[in-house]
């Protein structure tokens, strides 16, 4: 079997030689797509140069490109022939037709539902709605882990500024934050501020070589935690903490709540449209109910 040209995929006689074995059969006369370069025809199906070009991965060498095109055309020919053979060997297509019609119907319904929702819900869920849902459904947001806001530092144990770090890490003013940043750079200390966003305690605990139970117990009673080993001193201060079993902070779940409310509103709206359509059809005598006999 002849192979196919590549790079530009110029239409050559070699491109159609693989299907010459069909010459003993009736080749369908097809109307080629204007402006496109036909490569191969099998029955009434045509593969165009542009189709292969779109599938061609970027960055292939000339040889790799040729191999890819060869495989692509072979696979296309085999798929077409296999499909045609399948149609000939499955004469009863009623089940397939039913599945196709059901799928077509579901596509129409899905697209219509999207259109309805776009027209109806153009405004976002309000903060008041989010707050109300959060308050009424606190049981949905129970934490399975502790979350905190705060500051975490890992300072080299030999740092000359260690005492100053200890003085500053529990302070919550901007001047202290600025000095901590400068000291961290000078001492190659690891510094993470997260006073403005909640973080899982697990993220911090993984960086401290101490039992998580010990850390959480001290945070709950003291609001801060320190630990030292031969190499480093670990300083953790929290401004806010919600322990495992508590309700997750609203700012963490507001996005999820908006999604829940949006989905609920959309479902309720589509259901109401369906009910109205049914009621209108009943009033128009467009529905026939057949009495069931026993």
């Amino acid at each position: 079997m002849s192979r196919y040209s590549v790079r530009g995929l110029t239409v050559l006689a070699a491109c159609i030689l693989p299907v010459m074995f069909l010459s003993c059969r009736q080749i369908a006369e097809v109307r080629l797509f204007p402006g496109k370069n036909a490569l191969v025809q099998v029955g009434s199906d045509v593969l165009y140069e542009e189709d292969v070009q779109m599938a061609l991965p970027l960055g292939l060498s000339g040889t790799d490109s040729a191999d890819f095109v060869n495989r692509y055309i072979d696979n296309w020919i085999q798929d077409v022939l296999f499909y045609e053979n399948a149609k000939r060997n499955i004469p009863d297509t009623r089940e397939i037709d039913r599945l196709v019609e059901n799928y077509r119907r579901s596509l129409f319904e899905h697209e219509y539902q999207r259109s309805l929702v776009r027209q109806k819900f153009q405004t976002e869920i309000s903060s008041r709605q989010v707050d109300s849902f959060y308050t009424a459904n606190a049981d949905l947001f129970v934490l399975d882990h502790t979350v905190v806001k705060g500051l975490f530092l890992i300072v080299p144990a030999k740092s000359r500024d260690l005492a100053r770090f200890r003085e500053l890490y529990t302070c919550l003013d901007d001047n202290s934050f600025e000095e901590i940043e400068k000291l961290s750079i000078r001492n190659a200390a690891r510094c993470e501020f997260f006073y403005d966003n909640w973080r899982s305690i697990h993220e911090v605990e993984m960086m401290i070589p101490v039992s998580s139970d010990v850390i959480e117990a001290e945070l709950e009673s003291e609001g801060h935690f320190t630990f030292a080993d031969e190499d480093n001193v670990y300083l953790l201060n929290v401004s806010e903490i919600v322990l495992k079993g508590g309700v997750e902070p609203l700012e963490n779940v507001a996005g999820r709540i908006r999604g829940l409310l949006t989905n609920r509103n959309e479902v309720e709206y589509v259901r109401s449209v369906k009910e109205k359509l049914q009621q209108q059809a009943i009033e128009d005598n467009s529905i026939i109910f057949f009495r069931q006999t026993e």
Side-chain angles (χ1 to χ4, degrees):
M1 180 180 290
S2 301
R3 309 313 292 158
Y4 319 104
S5 62
V6 72
R7 277 306 166 204
L9 297 172
T10 306
V11 181
L12 301 174
C15 295
I16 59 173
L17 284 176
V19 293
M20 289 303 291
F21 65 89
L22 293 175
S23 59
C24 60
R25 298 181 182 176
Q26 180 68 33
I27 300 295
E29 293 186 7
V30 298
R31 196 169 185 178
L32 299 180
F33 197 96
K36 297 182 73 172
N37 299 308
L39 287 178
V40 187
Q41 178 183 344
V42 179
S44 59
D45 291 281
V46 179
L47 177 65
Y48 292 92
E49 174 185 329
E50 289 75 12
D51 299 327
V52 183
Q53 285 179 330
M54 288 181 63
L56 192 66
L58 296 174
L60 291 183
S61 66
T63 301
D64 291 338
S65 245
D67 291 341
F68 176 87
V69 173
N70 288 334
R71 289 195 305 272
Y72 189 94
I73 295 177
D74 279 342
N75 289 337
W76 182 87
I77 291 171
Q78 292 167 14
D79 286 344
V80 172
L81 293 173
F82 190 77
Y83 172 64
E84 294 298 329
N85 201 50
K87 287 197 297 183
R88 286 193 297 272
N89 286 277
I90 304 179
D92 187 354
T93 63
R94 286 175 295 181
E95 178 63 14
I96 292 176
D97 293 339
R98 184 186 68 80
L99 292 173
V100 170
E101 179 55 32
N102 286 345
Y103 181 60
R104 184 172 183 271
R105 175 176 172 174
S106 68
L107 288 177
F108 270 104
E109 291 178 349
H110 177 70
E111 191 58 33
Y112 179 54
Q113 180 169 321
R114 285 181 57 196
S115 176
L116 286 175
V117 167
R118 283 196 301 267
Q119 294 173 27
K120 178 69 176 179
F121 300 104
Q122 296 182 349
T123 57
E124 292 187 0
I125 301 297
S126 69
S127 297
R128 179 176 295 181
Q129 289 174 297
V130 172
D131 292 344
S132 178
F133 185 90
Y134 177 76
T135 301
N137 298 275
D139 57 311
L140 296 178
F141 307 107
V142 175
L143 286 165
D144 60 3
H145 59 274
T146 297
V147 294
V148 296
K149 286 184 177 182
L151 164 70
F152 177 64
L153 292 167
I154 301 179
V155 183
K158 297 180 180 180
S159 168
R160 291 179 298 177
D161 297 310
L162 181 57
R164 186 58 179 157
F165 274 112
R166 289 182 181 276
E167 293 175 2
L168 293 171
Y169 88 102
T170 57
C171 299
L172 300 177
D173 59 280
D174 292 340
N175 290 334
S176 297
F177 294 163
E178 185 175 344
E179 186 173 352
I180 287 174
E181 287 182 328
K182 292 178 180 178
L183 290 174
S184 297
I185 295 172
R186 187 166 76 191
N187 290 271
R190 178 169 184 172
C191 175
E192 294 188 32
F193 290 95
F194 50 98
Y195 285 117
D196 294 330
N197 61 284
W198 293 95
R199 183 173 294 186
S200 166
I201 191 64
H202 297 319
E203 296 178 45
V204 179
E205 291 172 345
M206 289 177 63
M207 297 180 284
I208 304 176
V210 182
S211 164
S212 60
D213 292 337
V214 172
I215 297 173
E216 292 193 37
E218 189 164 334
L219 287 178
E220 187 178 2
S221 61
E222 303 294 334
H224 57 266
F225 174 83
T226 64
F227 176 77
D229 57 25
E230 292 182 1
D231 300 315
N232 299 298
V233 175
Y234 305 84
L235 305 171
L236 173 62
N237 183 59
V238 297
S239 58
E240 296 181 65
I241 182 170
V242 181
L243 297 172
K244 176 181 176 179
V247 179
E248 190 166 3
L250 175 59
E251 58 197 278
N252 267 22
V253 298
R256 283 162 33 207
I257 292 175
R258 283 191 169 86
L260 286 170
L261 292 177
T262 298
N263 183 68
R264 185 183 68 180
N265 290 346
E266 290 175 357
V267 169
E268 290 177 353
Y269 175 62
V270 171
R271 182 172 62 245
S272 71
V273 170
K274 290 180 178 180
E275 290 174 351
K276 289 178 181 177
L277 288 171
Q278 179 182 7
Q279 185 58 40
Q280 187 61 51
I282 292 173
E283 294 174 2
D284 295 341
N285 295 318
S286 299
I287 302 175
I288 300 175
F289 293 96
F290 293 95
R291 183 181 301 276
Q292 300 295 319
T293 57
E294 295 182 2

